[in-house]
Each structure stands twice: as structure tokens, then as C-alpha cells.
Amino acid sequence: MFEKQAVVYHESGLHTRVAAMIVQKSHEIYQSRRCKLYIRSKDSERIEIRSLMSLVALKIGCGDSIWVSTDDDKQFSAVEEMVTFLEGDFNLRNSSALKEVDQLLHENAFTAEQIFSSMANGLIVTNQEDIITVCNPAAERLIGIPAAKAIGKRVYDVVPNTRMHIVNQTGLGEIASRQEINGAMTLTNRTPIIIDGEVRGTTAIFEDVSALEKVTWEFYEVKEMQERLQLILETVQDGICVLNKVGEIIYANPAYLKIVDRKSAELIGKNIQEISPNGVRNTVLKTGKQQMGSIVKKKNGVTVVANTNPIMVDGEIAGVVSVVKKITEVQELMEKLMKVSAKAEYLEQELLRTKKNNKAFAHYIGSSGKVVDVLAMAVKAAKSSATVLIRGESGTGKELIAEGIHYASSRAQGPFIRVNCGAIPSALLESELFGHEKGAFTGATKRKLGKFELANNGTIFLDEIGDMDRNMQVKLLRALQQREFYRVGGETSVKVNVRIIAATNRNLEEMLEKETFRDDLYYRLNVIPLFLPPLRERAQDIPLLIEHFIGKISNEMHKPIKGVTTEALDVLVDYRWPGNVRELENIMERVITLMDVEYISLEHLPSYIRGETVVREVKRIEATRRGAFDDNIVLPWEEYEKQIISNALKKCGSFNAAGKMLKLTHKTVATKAKKYGLTKE
């Protein structure tokens, strides 16, 4: 390597136009000698001279020393030629050279504009008088005022809670300050613009969470524009990389170098064809088409999201600007979104569980947990065409659930055919289900269509399926498997599109053991089982059902029944209801028919209902008095607790001893004894 010192005598140092001349001179030397020249100051690493923005960033003033070098020891004359040029007066009189320098400045000016158009940060720039000179679109959105109206006004008249005028006065920057603007919280970096040792204004960069957008800037002087843009580029947190029109990296800001874990000298001057020929930047350079939101994995293992835009000058590609951000921030956002989505899905399932589907199940009255769960399962079953088996005691509303599944399904426009398999004699059930041909048996004077044919494109409800004999079970199984059957006396199979819903109050599992019900039919029917709870297991629904039946029956009978007394309601809730909802409806109809007053009282209820309640209460009182725990009688928890505390106090004689026996604290035993009115003996 050959290196030589030079002293800059130009009164303005290496300002933008002089730097452009030096870059142009370096380009001429490279074209004629094929020699790359490098430059450094006493405080910086050496950089290739063909990077205008990096050269301006050195901030070389009049009288400063710089060092010019080359890696080719035989090209010392090229170094000396550049040293002589650097120590000259930089006066260009050749119009061709002037034009080339101006073109270089023009291209770099557009490069800076394109860089800022890719930033997602809001930017406001003021001059020495605190007058806004630059206001980008991202800042427009934050302050809610168009740039055309903001530019030319005092910054404190436009931006709420601003401190830019204070920074302009003190010359002290403020980093990562929280600032609220029109209800939005921003993170603001305020930096003084210092030129030739004087504060010439202030820049404010507002961190925004919105998507990366293009920003447009207006500048009046190329020199101030370049220096201001350079300062801003050094402070943004997004990584920025700029290529020229031949694909060479001419600028990379500190954020970009940090993201890719590289030094400036390792990137500046390198051609994208060499370091990333298949990358996004090279593709944009060739095609001239922007690529937004590209996911790229760098060589150091860091994954980034990049917005890459071509730099267009007079309709031609003058380079590429790429703005990158670590994907870690996006991943954190995705994790938050996933958590929110999971919560929303859970809430949606809970909503479906507690909400009846489009009134199809409106006739099934109840709000207890077991009813809610059954209806939620029925709603899900309605969304498919799978076979449903409804289990439950007689009078629990199996037909209502079957009807609701049908009308909540896609077959709602088709027929809903009911068949009570237990009410039809076995000899006639086959004809009832599948139909018969004329002359198939005595009395068959014409063809008859069966229930399966009538239910085509709809639903057939086979109630009391457990009462069907085994011979008929075989024929039904074939119809379920093949979705086809033969009419009695027929020779041609009939195909149907039918959904099957079966129901029974029988214990099919016991019937399987006794071989009175076929196991293959059982598994064919038991695709989606629904178990309806008996009324005694959902006692909290009894008041709702009573209110429903009073309204329904009183309207039909034109009787002004207003309700039921508390005593009568307690007895009705306490009754075991072996006939379930059907029995409750019959009782309400009987009572309303016979009564002549507005409220149903205890005397209107059948004696067997009142008698069962009285007998159960007597047994409970007797058991409590005896202190016995009868397996056939279930008492409230307080009764057991009272008896246990009482027995312990009788045996031990003190709260402390009783607590040790019961493995409770002295205070707990004393509190319980006071609650139940017990005394130690």
C-alpha cells in the first residue's frame, strides 16, 4: 500500500460541491489508470473516494490534513495526482467537467430524496428563526396540518408540546423524548443543525408505528440540504443502504451497519453483483420496480424486512435505496396478534356455547349449564350432515332438539319427517319406512312411498330407535350405509339423500350386552351422541319452564294467570319430576284449567307432588335429629357440618380439643359453633 498526506487549503474545506469535484477526479483516475484511491482523516478509517456522501461525512475543513492511498504500490503517481488536486483551489472552468459535477450532485440530491421517501418516520426541520422549512407526509399525519400550511410558520404554533425552539436556543439535542401529538404518543429525537460552529436550525424525527411510507422533501439550497440530510440519516433507527446506477454501494448508515454487523469499509464501493447477485436490491436495480415488505436473511443470521425502491432521474434508474428493519419487532407483533386471535377464538366458542342458533332451538327452554352445553353441541352438529343419536329420559325434549338441528342445518328447506319406531308394529314398520309396491301384500292396492323417500334432501327423525326388533335393524343398517333401499315387493333400489337423527330413552349399552340391539347399527347411529339431562338435574330451569307454560296455556285458555306463589314454586322445584318436562307441562295445564284465581298457590298443586315434598322434608328433619347420615337421603352441607361440630363438642367438651380431633383450628370450631348455635359441654 502507498499513502501520502495532503493539506486542504480551500477556505470552505470539503463541502458538498468540492466533494463532488473530488469524486469526479477519482472517477477519471480510475477510468484512465484502473486504480482505486482511498482517503482518510486522522480520526476515521479510509474510504474509497468515489462515495460522495461518505466523503462529505468526513467534515474536512480548511487546513485539515488527509491521507490518500492505494493498494497498488506501482500506482504512486495516481496518489500524487490526487494529492495535488486536493491541495488546489478547485476552480473548474471546463464546461464539460462542470456539467459532470453538477450531474453528480443532482443524482445524490435525488438519492437523498428517495431515501427520505422510504422512511417511516415523521420529520420536521426549522431554521434559526424557528420557522418550519421541511415537513414530511408522516409528520403531516401526526400534526394534522398539510405541509403547505405548516411550512413558513413558527414551529410552536403548529406542533403541540414542541421543544424544537428550546433546542434551537440551547444547541443541546434531546434523544428519545416522549411527546403527545393530537392524542398520539411519539418518541422524538430533537437535534440542532450546526454549520460552521453555529446553530442554523433544528431537526425533529418522530418515531411512528405506521407502515413505511414515502416521504417528500422540499429543499432550497443543495449545500444545506446535503448536510441536513446527512445528519438525519445518522440518527434514524431504520437501516438504510444506497446503490448507484452501476450497483455500487455508495452509502450505508450506522443503523444498517449495526444490523448487518459490518464496517463501512467492508461495504462502501462494493458492487451488489459481487456480494448479493440474487438479492432484492439487484433485482430492483435491473427491473426498476419497487419491492415492499421483502423478508431477507442476512449473512450474519439476522432476518430483516426490507422496502426497496428504485431511484429514478429523468425516467432512468439512477440507483436503489433499501430501508430495512429487524424482523424481531414484526415477530413480537405477530405473537401479540396470535394471543389476541386465540382469545377471540375462545370468546367466539363461548358465545356459540351460550347463544342459541338463529332461533332454531328457541322452543327448548333452559339456561342451566347442562342445557347450554347440549345446545352448543347441537349447534355444532347442525353444521354437518353426520348422524346424531339423542339420548335422554322420556319427556326431556328429544324431538325438539332433533327439529332444531334440522332447521339450523343446510337442509332447513327440505322436509323433516318424524317416525316413532316404538308406536308402529314390527310387521308394518318396514313398509312405513321404505314404502311398498302395488300387490306386495294383501291390501296393497297401490304403490306407497316410505318415510325415507319423503325425507329426501331433508332429515328423518327415528324416535324410540331402541324399540326396533333385530330383523328390522338389519334392513335399517343397510339403508344407513348405502343410502339406498328396496320398497317392500320392489326389485329396483331407491337412492335417497337423507340425514338421520335417532333418539331413544333406552340403555343401548345394556341392550348390546343382551344382544337385543345390533352393535354395528349402534356404532353407525352413535356418530354424534347428545345426552339430554332430566329435569331433576337442571332444577334451576324449572321457574323458566313454569313461566313459559303459564304464558302459553293461559293464552290458549284465555285465563289471566299472572304467576305462581313462592310456596308453590318451592314445592315444584323440589319435586323429582320422573316424567320430566312433559309431566311439568301436563301439571300446568291441569292446574290452570281447574283454577279460578290469578296466582297458582300450593293448594292448586296435585296432592302427590305436595306429599312427596312433605315426606322428603320429614325424613330430612328426622335424620338431622338422629345425627345419622342416611345414604338414601342427601342433605344440605350445613346440616352435615352442624352435626359434625355438635358431635365433636359433645365428645371433647372444648373448642380446642374438638379442633384437634377435627384437624381444625380453635378459632374455626368456635366460629362454626357460634354460627349453628352450639355450646361446648
Side-chain angles (χ1 to χ4, degrees):
M1 183 183 75
F2 178 75
E3 186 176 66
K4 188 173 182 179
Q5 182 180 0
V7 179
V8 177
Y9 296 108
H10 191 275
E11 61 181 4
S12 299
L14 301 189
H15 63 68
T16 307
R17 189 176 185 87
V18 171
M21 294 179 184
I22 296 172
V23 171
Q24 179 62 25
K25 181 64 176 178
S26 174
H27 183 71
E28 291 175 0
I29 293 174
Y30 180 79
Q31 292 293 330
S32 61
R33 300 171 181 262
R34 291 296 170 184
C35 173
K36 290 185 177 181
L37 296 178
Y38 301 88
I39 192 171
R40 70 176 179 85
S41 67
K42 63 178 181 179
D43 298 322
S44 70
E45 299 179 357
R46 68 174 193 160
I47 60 172
E48 190 176 353
I49 298 179
R50 289 190 292 169
S51 173
L52 173 61
M53 299 178 79
S54 297
L55 194 58
V56 173
L58 292 178
K59 297 181 180 179
I60 304 299
C62 180
D64 291 343
S65 295
I66 53 178
W67 285 263
V68 181
S69 61
T70 180
D71 292 333
D72 189 349
D73 293 339
K74 297 179 181 181
Q75 295 286 353
F76 62 89
S77 59
V79 174
E80 291 177 346
E81 182 180 349
M82 178 56 74
V83 169
T84 301
F85 184 77
L86 290 170
E87 293 180 340
D89 57 3
F90 300 106
N91 288 325
L92 290 179
R93 297 177 178 83
N94 183 282
S95 61
S96 176
L98 284 171
K99 184 177 180 180
E100 291 178 356
V101 170
D102 288 340
Q103 178 65 22
L104 180 61
L105 288 172
H106 186 60
E107 289 182 1
N108 278 271
F110 274 98
T111 297
E113 291 182 8
Q114 289 293 332
I115 290 172
F116 287 103
S117 68
S118 300
M119 290 171 53
N121 299 320
L123 171 69
I124 290 180
V125 181
T126 63
N127 61 15
Q128 287 175 297
E129 287 75 32
D130 296 325
I131 293 175
I132 297 175
T133 59
V134 176
C135 179
N136 76 333
E140 284 182 324
R141 290 193 299 272
L142 285 172
I143 64 177
I145 299 175
K149 293 184 178 181
I151 293 174
K153 294 183 179 180
R154 306 277 181 186
V155 66
Y156 40 75
D157 293 333
V158 175
V159 183
N161 306 319
T162 185
R163 290 177 53 84
M164 292 181 67
H165 58 294
I166 297 176
V167 173
N168 195 19
Q169 294 172 4
T170 63
L172 300 177
E174 297 178 349
I175 305 301
S177 299
R178 291 173 62 85
Q179 181 178 0
E180 184 176 351
I181 302 176
N182 293 333
M185 189 61 67
T186 64
L187 201 62
T188 306
N189 293 341
R190 306 181 187 93
T191 309
I193 300 172
I194 301 176
I195 301 175
D196 297 331
E198 295 183 8
V199 178
R200 299 291 185 87
T202 308
T203 63
I205 300 175
F206 307 93
E207 287 292 336
D208 196 356
V209 294
S210 59
L212 295 175
E213 297 180 357
K214 293 181 179 179
V215 292
T216 305
W217 299 89
E218 294 184 0
F219 300 94
Y220 301 98
E221 298 179 8
V222 173
K223 177 182 176 181
E224 289 191 9
M225 178 191 70
Q226 289 294 142
E227 292 180 353
R228 290 178 181 177
L229 296 185
Q230 184 67 36
L231 179 60
I232 294 169
L233 290 173
E234 297 294 324
T235 61
V236 297
Q237 296 181 0
D238 293 344
I240 300 172
C241 179
V242 184
L243 311 181
N244 62 15
K245 60 184 177 183
V246 296
E248 293 178 344
I249 299 176
I250 60 175
Y251 179 76
N253 73 340
Y256 183 86
L257 296 175
K258 183 178 180 181
I259 290 173
V260 300
D261 194 21
R262 301 286 292 274
K263 295 182 179 179
S264 177
E266 296 175 338
L267 293 179
I268 302 301
K270 302 294 183 182
N271 197 292
I272 200 67
Q273 290 280 2
E274 300 173 1
I275 62 177
S276 183
N278 300 320
V280 176
R281 289 170 292 180
N282 197 29
T283 302
V284 174
L285 185 64
K286 291 179 179 179
T287 63
K289 297 180 179 180
Q290 69 172 10
Q291 292 197 18
M292 306 295 286
S294 304
I295 305 299
V296 180
K297 188 172 184 179
K298 296 295 184 181
K299 292 182 179 180
N300 64 342
V302 175
T303 303
V304 300
V305 56
N307 287 349
T308 310
N309 289 273
I311 303 170
M312 308 299 294
V313 179
D314 296 331
E316 295 184 358
I317 299 176
V320 169
V321 57
S322 178
V323 179
V324 302
K325 184 184 290 289
K326 275 189 178 181
I327 200 68
T328 308
E329 300 175 12
V330 181
Q331 290 174 338
E332 291 176 354
L333 179 60
M334 289 299 297
E335 289 178 1
K336 292 181 180 179
L337 288 175
M338 289 176 64
K339 290 180 181 179
V340 172
S341 298
K343 184 176 181 180
E345 183 178 355
Y346 167 76
L347 293 176
E348 182 181 4
Q349 292 299 322
E350 284 298 297
L351 181 62
L352 289 175
R353 194 180 79 87
T354 57
K355 184 178 181 181
K356 297 178 182 178
N357 187 45
N358 61 22
K359 301 182 179 179
F361 299 94
H363 296 299
Y364 195 88
I365 308 299
S367 61
S368 62
K370 291 187 176 183
V371 170
V372 169
D373 290 338
V374 167
L375 293 181
M377 182 67 72
V379 169
K380 292 181 180 180
K383 295 180 180 180
S384 71
S385 295
T387 302
V388 179
L389 178 60
I390 304 175
R391 310 281 293 272
E393 297 179 5
S394 179
T396 53
K398 296 185 288 295
E399 185 173 340
L400 288 178
I401 293 296
E403 189 176 275
I405 293 175
H406 169 74
Y407 287 109
S409 70
S410 58
R411 298 173 177 266
Q413 302 302 319
F416 179 72
I417 304 300
R418 304 169 179 81
V419 180
N420 190 330
C421 300
I424 303 174
S426 300
L428 301 178
L429 185 57
E430 181 179 4
S431 173
E432 189 69 20
L433 291 177
F434 305 131
H436 61 257
E437 296 289 352
K438 180 179 179 180
F441 51 81
T442 303
T445 58
K446 61 180 180 179
R447 173 188 287 180
K448 176 186 176 182
L449 300 182
K451 301 298 186 187
F452 269 84
E453 281 187 84
L454 296 176
N456 191 33
N457 296 321
T459 304
I460 186 170
F461 175 50
L462 303 177
D463 197 8
E464 304 300 344
I465 193 71
D467 295 341
M468 184 180 293
D469 64 32
R470 286 182 63 87
N471 292 331
M472 190 61 207
Q473 291 175 25
V474 177
K475 298 176 181 179
L476 176 61
L477 177 62
R478 184 181 185 280
L480 297 182
Q481 290 176 333
Q482 306 296 331
R483 289 297 192 271
E484 66 177 20
F485 55 86
Y486 289 90
R487 299 189 189 96
V488 177
E491 298 179 353
T492 303
S493 65
V494 179
K495 292 185 177 294
V496 290
N497 177 19
V498 176
R499 182 191 191 158
I500 292 90
I501 300 178
T504 183
N505 60 1
R506 304 279 295 274
N507 189 328
L508 297 182
E509 290 72 22
E510 289 184 359
M511 296 179 67
L512 291 177
E513 294 179 2
K514 297 177 181 179
E515 296 185 352
T516 56
F517 198 86
R518 294 180 60 91
D519 55 354
D520 47 6
L521 179 59
Y522 170 79
Y523 293 118
R524 177 64 64 177
L525 294 173
N526 197 39
V527 178
I528 300 180
L530 292 179
F531 293 87
L532 303 190
L535 189 55
R536 62 182 172 276
E537 293 181 7
R538 56 184 188 107
Q540 69 185 78
D541 292 333
I542 292 176
L544 294 177
L545 290 164
I546 291 173
E547 181 181 2
H548 170 73
F549 290 136
I550 288 177
K552 173 186 174 183
I553 298 170
S554 62
N555 287 337
E556 292 175 353
M557 296 184 177
H558 304 290
K559 281 191 172 185
I561 306 301
K562 294 183 178 180
V564 58
T565 64
T566 302
E567 295 79 5
L569 181 62
D570 290 341
V571 170
L572 291 171
V573 171
D574 198 46
Y575 181 57
R576 302 292 292 170
W577 298 108
N580 294 295
V581 180
R582 184 181 294 118
E583 182 183 5
L584 175 60
E585 183 177 11
N586 291 341
I587 292 298
M588 288 296 102
E589 186 174 3
R590 179 194 309 175
V591 168
I592 292 173
T593 301
L594 298 176
M595 64 183 291
D596 297 320
V597 293
E598 294 181 340
Y599 287 92
I600 300 174
S601 60
L602 193 60
E603 63 184 15
H604 297 114
L605 301 181
S607 58
Y608 71 89
I609 293 180
R610 288 177 289 159
E612 179 184 291
T613 304
V614 171
V615 169
R616 190 182 301 116
E617 182 66 16
V618 170
K619 289 182 178 179
R620 185 185 69 82
I621 294 173
E622 290 178 352
T624 302
R625 289 175 177 174
R626 291 196 310 269
F629 300 114
D630 191 337
D631 293 339
N632 297 320
I633 300 176
V634 178
L635 305 176
W637 169 252
E638 287 79 2
E639 298 289 354
Y640 294 105
E641 188 175 58
K642 178 180 178 181
Q643 190 63 49
I644 292 171
I645 298 294
S646 177
N647 292 344
L649 289 175
K650 288 178 181 178
K651 186 172 184 179
C652 299
S654 70
F655 294 144
N656 190 38
K660 291 180 179 180
M661 173 178 286
L662 299 175
K663 295 184 179 181
L664 298 174
T665 64
H666 170 274
K667 184 178 180 180
T668 300
V669 175
T671 301
K672 297 291 185 182
K674 182 178 180 181
K675 175 182 177 181
Y676 298 121
L678 303 175
T679 58
K680 54 187 177 180
E681 299 179 5

